[in-house]
Amino acid sequence: MEFGEIVSVLLQGAVVTIQIVAMALPLAVLMAFSFGLIRLYAPTPFKQIAIVYIEFFRGTSALIQLYWIYFVLPFFGITIDAMTAAVVALGLNIGAYGTEVVRGAIQSVPKGQYEASIALNFTSSQRLWRIIMPQALVNMIPPFGNLAIELVKATSLVSLITIGDLTFKAKMLADTTLQVGEIFGVVLLFYFVIAQFLVFFIRRLETHLSKGLGRGGLHS
């Protein structure tokens, strides 16, 4: 098989991989912020629910979670298509790790910022969203960047539920052409490029937020 044809087929798989990342990453961020804030500020029963979610998805295999959502849930009358199952499984898994990032970043904001906002008569909501969260966001970006890269690598699991992602296309080509070296060399390059694009975006976002923080916050 010509090298150009290999690249063309793998590019189709790379597009699917990017689509999964583009859908799973917002879900992961949503879960991270939702359960991170619940863990910090909600009444105890809701905190317990958050802890169960975090510990379950961090303490079990992402592959088994994917299998459960795609293969097991239909036995309970819940049928989900493969792409949705992939997005949900990866989003929930990465989101559980992100929850601790959110919690840690908020708790890392200097205590003086809390005290200053209280002295200025800010409400709890104003204190969180106008003072604490902007500073915490800057601390969240690097670890969230690492989780985004982990998400990209975890997308290779979806090939096991027959989604035509980059890994699935690579295995299919390798089985039919036996050109293993060329195929997986291109696959490595594709994954690297996707990861580097995310790194570039995250660094730009971090720089933007840091500049914004320099103009805000409370100084005591």
Side-chain angles (χ1 to χ4, degrees):
M1 192 174 189
E2 295 293 330
F3 183 74
E5 294 176 296
I6 291 174
V7 172
S8 178
V9 173
L10 292 177
L11 186 58
Q12 296 172 19
V15 170
V16 175
T17 293
I18 292 169
Q19 289 174 338
I20 294 170
V21 172
M23 291 185 286
L25 190 55
L27 174 60
V29 171
L30 175 63
M31 298 302 292
F33 273 89
S34 299
F35 282 90
L37 293 175
I38 289 171
R39 182 83 185 273
L40 284 172
Y41 301 113
T44 300
F46 293 100
K47 288 183 179 180
Q48 295 302 320
I49 293 173
I51 291 171
V52 169
Y53 160 68
I54 295 166
E55 297 304 324
F56 176 80
F57 279 94
R58 292 201 310 169
T60 58
S61 164
L63 177 59
I64 301 303
Q65 294 163 18
L66 180 63
Y67 278 180
W68 255 88
I69 291 172
Y70 186 63
F71 292 117
V72 178
L73 287 185
F75 289 100
F76 298 93
I78 304 173
T79 301
I80 301 177
D81 65 88
M83 180 65 82
T84 303
V87 170
V88 170
L90 295 179
L92 292 177
N93 181 272
I94 298 298
Y97 289 93
T99 297
E100 293 301 284
V101 170
V102 171
R103 186 169 71 96
I106 290 175
Q107 291 179 327
S108 72
V109 175
K111 187 178 178 182
Q113 296 291 299
Y114 290 88
E115 295 171 346
S117 61
I118 291 172
L120 291 172
N121 248 0
F122 282 19
T123 65
S124 297
S125 178
Q126 289 174 325
R127 195 156 56 241
L128 175 63
W129 296 109
R130 294 178 57 184
I131 305 302
I132 306 306
M133 190 60 74
Q135 298 177 70
L137 279 173
V138 176
N139 296 332
M140 292 179 201
I141 296 303
F144 264 130
N146 293 335
L147 291 177
I149 302 303
E150 290 301 316
L151 174 60
V152 172
K153 294 188 286 187
T155 57
S156 61
L157 298 175
V158 308
S159 64
L160 299 174
I161 58 172
T162 69
I163 293 179
D165 74 314
L166 186 52
T167 299
F168 181 89
K169 294 289 187 181
K171 290 193 293 186
M172 181 186 69
L173 284 175
D175 289 342
T176 55
T177 68
L178 301 181
Q179 295 172 269
V180 177
E182 298 96 319
I183 292 166
F184 284 100
V186 175
V187 169
L188 283 174
L189 181 61
F190 273 132
Y191 276 118
F192 178 76
V193 169
I194 295 170
Q196 289 307 301
F197 174 80
L198 278 173
V199 168
F200 172 78
F201 173 77
I202 289 161
R203 285 177 178 168
R204 292 294 298 271
L205 180 60
E206 184 179 8
T207 300
H208 175 74
L209 289 175
S210 297
K211 288 180 179 177
L213 181 60
R215 297 189 294 269
L218 294 175
H219 303 281
S220 53

Coordinates of all heavy atoms in Angstrom, one line a residue, residues 77-115:
G77 N -31.7 -1.8 29.8 CA -32.6 -1.0 29.0 C -32.1 0.3 28.5 O -32.8 1.2 28.0
I78 N -30.8 0.6 28.7 CA -30.2 1.9 28.3 C -29.2 1.6 27.2 O -28.1 1.1 27.5 CB -29.5 2.5 29.5 CG1 -30.4 2.7 30.7 CG2 -28.9 3.9 29.1 CD1 -29.8 3.2 31.9
T79 N -29.6 1.9 26.0 CA -28.7 1.6 24.8 C -28.1 2.9 24.4 O -28.8 3.9 24.1 CB -29.5 1.0 23.7 OG1 -30.1 -0.3 24.2 CG2 -28.6 0.7 22.5
I80 N -26.8 3.0 24.3 CA -26.1 4.2 23.9 C -25.2 3.8 22.7 O -24.5 2.8 22.7 CB -25.2 4.7 25.0 CG1 -26.1 5.0 26.3 CG2 -24.4 5.9 24.6 CD1 -25.3 5.5 27.5
D81 N -25.2 4.7 21.7 CA -24.3 4.4 20.5 C -22.9 4.5 20.9 O -22.5 5.1 21.9 CB -24.7 5.4 19.4 CG -24.4 6.8 19.7 OD1 -23.2 7.2 19.5 OD2 -25.3 7.5 20.2
A82 N -22.0 4.0 20.1 CA -20.6 3.9 20.4 C -19.9 5.2 20.6 O -19.2 5.4 21.6 CB -19.9 3.1 19.3
M83 N -20.2 6.2 19.8 CA -19.6 7.5 19.9 C -20.0 8.2 21.2 O -19.2 8.7 22.0 CB -19.9 8.4 18.7 CG -19.3 9.8 18.8 SD -17.5 9.8 18.7 CE -17.3 9.6 16.9
T84 N -21.3 8.1 21.5 CA -21.8 8.7 22.8 C -21.2 8.0 24.0 O -20.8 8.7 25.0 CB -23.3 8.7 22.9 OG1 -23.9 9.3 21.7 CG2 -23.8 9.3 24.1
A85 N -21.1 6.7 23.9 CA -20.5 5.9 25.0 C -19.0 6.3 25.2 O -18.6 6.5 26.4 CB -20.6 4.4 24.7
A86 N -18.3 6.5 24.2 CA -16.9 6.9 24.3 C -16.8 8.3 24.9 O -16.0 8.5 25.8 CB -16.3 6.9 22.9
V87 N -17.6 9.2 24.5 CA -17.5 10.6 25.0 C -17.9 10.6 26.5 O -17.2 11.3 27.3 CB -18.5 11.5 24.2 CG1 -18.6 12.9 24.9 CG2 -17.9 11.7 22.8
V88 N -19.0 9.9 26.8 CA -19.4 9.9 28.2 C -18.4 9.2 29.1 O -18.0 9.8 30.2 CB -20.8 9.2 28.3 CG1 -21.1 8.9 29.8 CG2 -21.9 10.0 27.7
A89 N -17.9 8.1 28.7 CA -16.9 7.3 29.5 C -15.6 8.2 29.8 O -15.2 8.3 30.9 CB -16.6 6.0 28.9
L90 N -15.1 8.7 28.7 CA -13.9 9.5 28.8 C -14.1 10.8 29.6 O -13.3 11.2 30.4 CB -13.2 9.7 27.5 CG -12.8 8.5 26.7 CD1 -12.2 8.9 25.3 CD2 -11.7 7.7 27.5
G91 N -15.2 11.4 29.3 CA -15.5 12.7 30.0 C -15.7 12.5 31.5 O -15.2 13.3 32.3
L92 N -16.4 11.4 31.9 CA -16.6 11.2 33.3 C -15.3 10.8 34.0 O -15.0 11.2 35.1 CB -17.7 10.1 33.5 CG -19.1 10.4 33.1 CD1 -20.0 9.2 33.3 CD2 -19.6 11.6 33.9
N93 N -14.5 10.0 33.3 CA -13.2 9.6 33.9 C -12.3 10.7 34.1 O -11.7 10.9 35.2 CB -12.6 8.5 32.9 CG -11.3 8.0 33.5 OD1 -10.2 8.5 33.2 ND2 -11.4 6.9 34.3
I94 N -12.0 11.5 33.0 CA -11.1 12.6 33.2 C -11.7 13.7 34.1 O -11.0 14.3 34.9 CB -10.8 13.2 31.8 CG1 -10.1 12.2 30.9 CG2 -9.9 14.5 31.9 CD1 -8.8 11.7 31.4
G95 N -13.0 13.9 34.1 CA -13.7 14.8 34.9 C -13.4 14.5 36.4 O -13.3 15.4 37.2
A96 N -13.4 13.2 36.8 CA -13.2 12.8 38.2 C -11.8 13.3 38.6 O -11.6 13.8 39.8 CB -13.3 11.3 38.3
Y97 N -10.8 13.2 37.8 CA -9.5 13.7 38.1 C -9.4 15.2 38.2 O -8.8 15.8 39.0 CB -8.4 13.2 37.1 CG -8.1 11.7 37.2 CD1 -8.8 10.8 36.4 CD2 -7.2 11.2 38.1 CE1 -8.6 9.4 36.6 CE2 -6.9 9.8 38.2 CZ -7.6 8.9 37.4 OH -7.4 7.6 37.5
G98 N -10.2 15.8 37.3 CA -10.2 17.3 37.2 C -10.9 17.9 38.4 O -10.6 19.0 38.8
T99 N -11.8 17.1 39.1 CA -12.5 17.6 40.3 C -11.5 17.9 41.4 O -11.6 19.0 42.0 CB -13.5 16.5 40.8 OG1 -14.5 16.3 39.8 CG2 -14.1 16.9 42.0
E100 N -10.5 17.1 41.5 CA -9.5 17.4 42.6 C -8.6 18.5 42.2 O -8.1 19.2 43.0 CB -8.7 16.1 42.8 CG -9.5 15.0 43.4 CD -10.1 15.4 44.7 OE1 -9.3 15.4 45.7 OE2 -11.3 15.7 44.8
V101 N -8.4 18.8 40.9 CA -7.7 19.9 40.4 C -8.4 21.2 40.8 O -7.8 22.2 41.3 CB -7.5 19.9 38.9 CG1 -6.9 21.2 38.4 CG2 -6.6 18.7 38.5
V102 N -9.7 21.2 40.6 CA -10.5 22.4 40.9 C -10.5 22.6 42.4 O -10.3 23.8 42.8 CB -12.0 22.2 40.4 CG1 -12.9 23.3 40.9 CG2 -12.0 22.2 38.9
R103 N -10.7 21.6 43.2 CA -10.7 21.8 44.6 C -9.4 22.3 45.1 O -9.3 23.2 46.0 CB -11.1 20.4 45.3 CG -11.2 20.5 46.8 CD -11.8 19.2 47.3 NE -10.9 18.1 47.3 CZ -10.1 17.7 48.3 NH1 -10.2 18.4 49.5 NH2 -9.3 16.7 48.2
G104 N -8.3 21.7 44.7 CA -7.0 22.1 45.1 C -6.6 23.5 44.7 O -6.0 24.3 45.5
A105 N -7.0 23.9 43.5 CA -6.7 25.3 43.0 C -7.5 26.3 43.8 O -6.9 27.4 44.2 CB -7.1 25.4 41.6
I106 N -8.7 26.0 44.2 CA -9.5 27.0 45.0 C -8.9 27.1 46.4 O -8.8 28.2 46.9 CB -11.0 26.6 45.0 CG1 -11.6 26.7 43.6 CG2 -11.8 27.4 46.0 CD1 -13.0 26.2 43.5
Q107 N -8.6 26.0 46.9 CA -8.0 26.0 48.3 C -6.6 26.6 48.3 O -6.1 27.0 49.4 CB -8.0 24.6 48.8 CG -9.3 24.0 49.1 CD -9.3 22.6 49.7 OE1 -8.4 21.8 49.3 NE2 -10.2 22.3 50.5
S108 N -5.9 26.7 47.2 CA -4.6 27.3 47.2 C -4.6 28.8 47.1 O -3.5 29.5 47.3 CB -3.8 26.8 45.9 OG -4.3 27.4 44.7
V109 N -5.8 29.4 46.9 CA -5.8 30.9 46.9 C -5.5 31.4 48.3 O -6.1 30.9 49.3 CB -7.2 31.4 46.4 CG1 -7.4 32.9 46.5 CG2 -7.5 30.9 45.0
P110 N -4.6 32.4 48.4 CA -4.2 32.9 49.7 C -5.4 33.3 50.6 O -6.4 33.9 50.2 CB -3.4 34.1 49.4 CG -2.8 33.8 48.1 CD -3.9 33.1 47.3
K111 N -5.3 32.9 51.9 CA -6.4 33.2 52.8 C -6.7 34.7 52.9 O -7.8 35.1 53.2 CB -6.0 32.7 54.2 CG -7.1 32.7 55.2 CD -6.7 32.1 56.6 CE -7.8 32.3 57.6 NZ -7.3 31.7 58.9
G112 N -5.7 35.5 52.7 CA -5.9 37.0 52.8 C -6.9 37.5 51.7 O -7.6 38.5 52.0
Q113 N -7.0 36.8 50.6 CA -8.0 37.2 49.6 C -9.4 37.0 50.1 O -10.3 37.8 49.9 CB -7.8 36.4 48.3 CG -6.4 36.6 47.6 CD -6.4 38.0 47.0 OE1 -7.2 38.4 46.2 NE2 -5.4 38.8 47.5
Y114 N -9.6 35.9 50.8 CA -10.9 35.6 51.4 C -11.2 36.7 52.5 O -12.3 37.3 52.5 CB -11.0 34.3 52.1 CG -10.9 33.1 51.2 CD1 -9.7 32.5 50.8 CD2 -12.1 32.4 50.8 CE1 -9.7 31.4 50.0 CE2 -12.1 31.3 50.0 CZ -10.9 30.8 49.6 OH -10.8 29.7 48.8
E115 N -10.3 37.0 53.3 CA -10.5 37.9 54.4 C -10.7 39.3 53.8 O -11.6 40.1 54.3 CB -9.3 37.9 55.3 CG -9.1 36.6 56.0 CD -7.7 36.5 56.8 OE1 -6.9 37.4 56.5 OE2 -7.6 35.6 57.6

